[in-house]
């Protein structure tokens, strides 16, 4: 065992809305250490939760007994350039993965907009980017190795333990401890980014064509306005239009982080100013075009703290959901300080993926830390659930196992795999009991 730490074992997530104290911290150095720790915990009638980078807003990683951290876990790093496959320790961050791939002239086919998560955390919660031809990051998983609740080391792929593979690619950490992950990559590529302001009605009117025309498209709507910011990313052969360093600092660092943080603090202190702040924010982000390495375009720095709820909806329900959301925001007894984000993914076949069996539109609602959010999130969730929405596993929601079972056709199949791999519920906490059942 690489290390076991005693109290204090306090932990909080990135947003600061989830905090807890574990009885001990486990830091295994090898897969056999993981297996040994699991067997010892099971024998003692204990529980383990694995914590990554803390970028989930739910209590999914919160340990009420022992917390396991994978930062010291060593497994073989393998890069097969010819087959475009890379195997990394599950605790590797996406940022480190992107750097490794770039050195071998490879890249992830798609990414979300934050790269601080661990590979295990990202795939276990269904983290996704945007692009009508791309599923969540878990769809790029070619194989994985996990330690089950009985301490067994299992290798899973489409050919080896395929039923477990179908469940474990988005597992909420309920089936075992992921120790390594093999990802299917692509040749390194350059993206051309085009960001522009637009009227929300125009964006919704041209949306089908917009989605079909671009490799990756998303937009942000600014509450209390009719304005949106559209971002389209497309593959191009050459990095011939790099963003000047000063412009990158101005837009991504100063305006999107420093100035926006100040605006949020002002809006929190004087809520009546929020609509005006939203209008100014909508106009501060002007049009820009640039090219860069793919991961540098996909991922942007996020230093303004917030809490978030995100729902994956059938794509045809997007306009109805946004119309209802506008009414909800206008009727709240407090103000919303963050724009609403909309992204798109392709259908996949992963049992607990939000995109299982359907093309999806994702609506993400945020609120600045320290400001009210629950009535806002609950009202939106009611609308989203009635439209067949599925909540992002790493973002706030108020669903339970009964309601989620109706949303996921393979929910009972997942439960059967869980019963098989973790019969004593070593990998649980109160949150998992609520969303997956006892």
């Amino acid at each position: 065992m690489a290390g076991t730490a005693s109290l204090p074992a306090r932990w909080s997530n990135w947003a600061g809305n989830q905090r807890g104290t574990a009885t001990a911290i486990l830091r295994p150095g090898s897969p056999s250490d993981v297996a040994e720790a699991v067997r010892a915990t099971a024998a003692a009638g204990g529980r383990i939760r694995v914590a990554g980078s803390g970028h989930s807003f739910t209590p999914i990683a919160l340990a009420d007994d022992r917390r396991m951290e994978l930062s010291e876990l060593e497994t073989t790093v393998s890069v097969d350039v010819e087959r475009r496959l890379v195997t990394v320790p599950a605790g590797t961050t996406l940022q480190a993965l992107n750097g490794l791939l770039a050195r071998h002239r490879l890249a992830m086919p798609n990414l979300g907009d934050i790269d601080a998560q661990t590979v295990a955390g990202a795939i276990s919660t269904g983290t996704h980017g945007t692009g009508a031809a791309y599923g969540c990051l878990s769809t790029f998983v070619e194989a994985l190795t996990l330690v089950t609740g009985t301490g067994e080391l299992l290798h899973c792929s489409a050919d080896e333990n395929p039923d477990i593979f179908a469940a474990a690619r988005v597992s909420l950490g309920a089936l075992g401890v992921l120790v390594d992950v093999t990802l299917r990559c692509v040749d390194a590529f350059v993206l051309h980014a085009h960001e522009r302001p637009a009227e929300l009605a125009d964006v919704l009117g041209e949306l089908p064509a917009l989605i079909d025309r671009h490799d990756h498209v998303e937009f942000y709507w600014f509450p209390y306005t009719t304005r949106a910011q559209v971002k389209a990313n497309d593959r191009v052969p050459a990095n011939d239009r790099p963003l000047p360093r000063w412009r990158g600092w101005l837009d991504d660092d100063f305006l999107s982080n420093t100035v926006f943080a100040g605006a949020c603090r002002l809006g929190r202190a004087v809520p009546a100013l929020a609509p005006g702040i939203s209008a100014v924010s909508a106009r501060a982000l002007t049009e820009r075009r640039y090219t860069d390495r793919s991961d540098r375009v996909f991922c942007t720095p996020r230093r303004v703290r917030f809490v978030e709820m995100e729902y994956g909806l059938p794509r045809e329900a997007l306009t109805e959901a946004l119309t209802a959301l506008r009414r909800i925001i206008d009727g709240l007894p407090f103000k919303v300080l963050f724009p609403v984000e909309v992204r798109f993914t392709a259908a996949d076949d992963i049992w607990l993926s939000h995109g299982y069996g359907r093309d999806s539109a994702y609506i993400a609602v945020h609120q600045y830390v320290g400001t009210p959010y629950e009535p806002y999130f609950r009202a939106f969730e009611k609308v989203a659930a009635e439209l067949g929405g599925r909540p992002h596993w790493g973002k706030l929601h108020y669903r339970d196992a009964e309601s989620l079972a109706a949303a996921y056709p393979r929910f009972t199949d997942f439960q059967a795999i869980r019963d098989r791999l973790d019969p004593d519920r070593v990998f649980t906490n109160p949150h998992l009991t609520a969303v997956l059942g006892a």
Side-chain angles (χ1 to χ4, degrees):
M1 178 69 62
T4 302
S6 298
L7 295 177
R10 292 183 292 272
W11 180 88
S12 68
N13 64 344
W14 174 83
N17 69 310
Q18 303 295 342
R19 299 175 184 273
T21 302
T23 61
I25 306 172
L26 310 176
R27 297 190 179 100
S30 67
S32 60
D33 288 345
V34 175
E36 179 185 341
V38 169
R39 286 192 292 267
T41 300
R47 296 169 304 282
I48 292 174
R49 288 306 292 160
V50 179
S53 300
H55 268 268
S56 288
F57 299 91
T58 67
I60 190 169
L62 206 58
D64 60 352
D65 187 11
R66 308 172 198 194
R67 183 172 76 248
M68 181 174 286
E69 299 176 354
L70 303 181
S71 55
E72 298 178 15
L73 179 64
E74 294 184 3
T75 64
T76 301
V77 175
S78 171
V79 181
D80 188 331
V81 175
E82 185 175 341
R83 296 174 62 206
R84 299 175 182 82
L85 296 175
V86 59
T87 302
V88 294
T92 305
T93 64
L94 293 177
Q95 183 180 49
L97 171 67
N98 291 333
L100 171 69
L101 294 177
R103 292 193 292 274
H104 290 85
R105 297 184 180 179
L106 295 172
M108 290 287 285
N110 197 14
L111 288 164
D113 53 10
I114 298 175
D115 60 5
Q117 308 99 316
T118 63
V119 171
I123 67 172
S124 294
T125 56
T127 295
H128 62 94
T130 190
Y134 301 88
C136 64
L137 270 59
S138 302
T139 60
F140 309 141
V141 176
E142 194 77 8
L144 55 85
T145 306
L146 79 160
V147 174
T148 72
T150 60
E152 181 183 5
L153 195 69
L154 282 182
H155 188 72
C156 306
S157 67
D159 300 318
E160 189 175 2
N161 297 307
D163 55 343
I164 298 174
F165 185 64
R169 282 180 288 167
V170 178
S171 70
L172 287 68
L175 303 183
V177 180
L178 289 172
V179 293
D180 67 44
V181 179
T182 300
L183 295 159
R184 185 177 66 257
C185 305
V186 296
D187 292 334
F189 60 97
V190 172
L191 283 174
H192 172 270
H194 181 201
E195 301 166 10
R196 61 180 175 86
E199 286 291 319
L200 178 63
D202 293 340
V203 175
L204 294 176
E206 65 170 334
L207 202 52
L210 195 64
I211 293 171
D212 290 341
R213 192 163 64 241
H214 296 287
D215 294 328
H216 313 271
V217 67
E218 62 185 307
F219 68 88
Y220 294 84
W221 166 60
F222 294 85
Y224 314 110
T225 80
T226 61
R227 305 281 293 175
Q229 183 79 3
V230 180
K231 181 177 181 180
N233 298 329
D234 293 291
R235 286 157 172 73
V236 291
N239 187 7
D240 57 2
R241 193 170 181 167
L243 192 67
R245 182 172 296 181
W246 68 266
R247 182 67 190 272
W249 172 85
L250 178 66
D251 291 344
D252 299 327
D253 196 330
F254 184 65
L255 291 177
S256 296
N257 283 288
T258 305
V259 171
F260 186 57
C264 286
R265 287 193 295 270
L266 180 61
R268 183 174 61 188
V270 189
L273 297 178
I277 291 171
S278 188
V280 171
S281 298
R283 297 188 180 279
L285 297 175
T286 57
E287 184 172 16
R288 67 175 184 173
R289 297 175 182 264
Y290 65 94
T291 59
D292 207 340
R293 198 174 84 186
S294 58
D295 61 286
R296 292 172 177 163
V297 175
F298 286 134
C299 305
T300 54
R302 293 286 186 91
R303 292 193 300 277
V304 182
R305 306 282 169 148
F306 56 85
V307 291
E308 179 180 359
M309 168 182 281
E310 184 174 40
Y311 259 83
L313 298 158
R315 201 174 292 172
E316 60 273 14
L318 174 61
T319 299
E320 184 177 352
L322 281 176
T323 299
L325 181 59
R326 295 176 73 176
R327 289 197 298 267
I328 289 169
I329 290 174
D330 288 341
L332 289 171
F334 52 83
K335 300 301 182 183
V336 173
L337 298 174
F338 261 72
V340 172
E341 182 180 22
V342 179
R343 294 182 286 176
F344 307 91
T345 64
D348 63 57
D349 61 353
I350 303 171
W351 292 357
L352 289 192
S353 167
H354 331 108
Y356 179 84
R358 69 187 188 199
D359 294 336
S360 299
Y362 282 83
I363 300 178
V365 295
H366 312 69
Q367 189 67 307
Y368 184 53
V369 292
T371 55
Y373 65 85
E374 188 170 335
Y376 174 31
F377 287 9
R378 283 188 179 275
F380 173 62
E381 180 170 76
K382 184 175 186 298
V383 169
E386 289 173 353
L387 292 172
R390 297 168 181 159
H392 190 298
W393 294 113
K395 300 178 183 180
L396 290 172
H397 65 90
Y398 307 97
R399 304 284 287 274
D400 60 19
E402 183 179 359
S403 72
L404 290 166
Y408 288 91
R410 304 300 297 270
F411 196 83
T412 55
D413 295 320
F414 182 91
Q415 288 176 316
I417 293 290
R418 187 186 185 203
D419 288 341
R420 196 167 103 207
L421 299 189
D422 187 19
D424 297 322
R425 296 297 187 262
V426 176
F427 307 116
T428 195
N429 65 8
H431 177 71
L432 260 67
T433 298
V435 300
L436 295 180

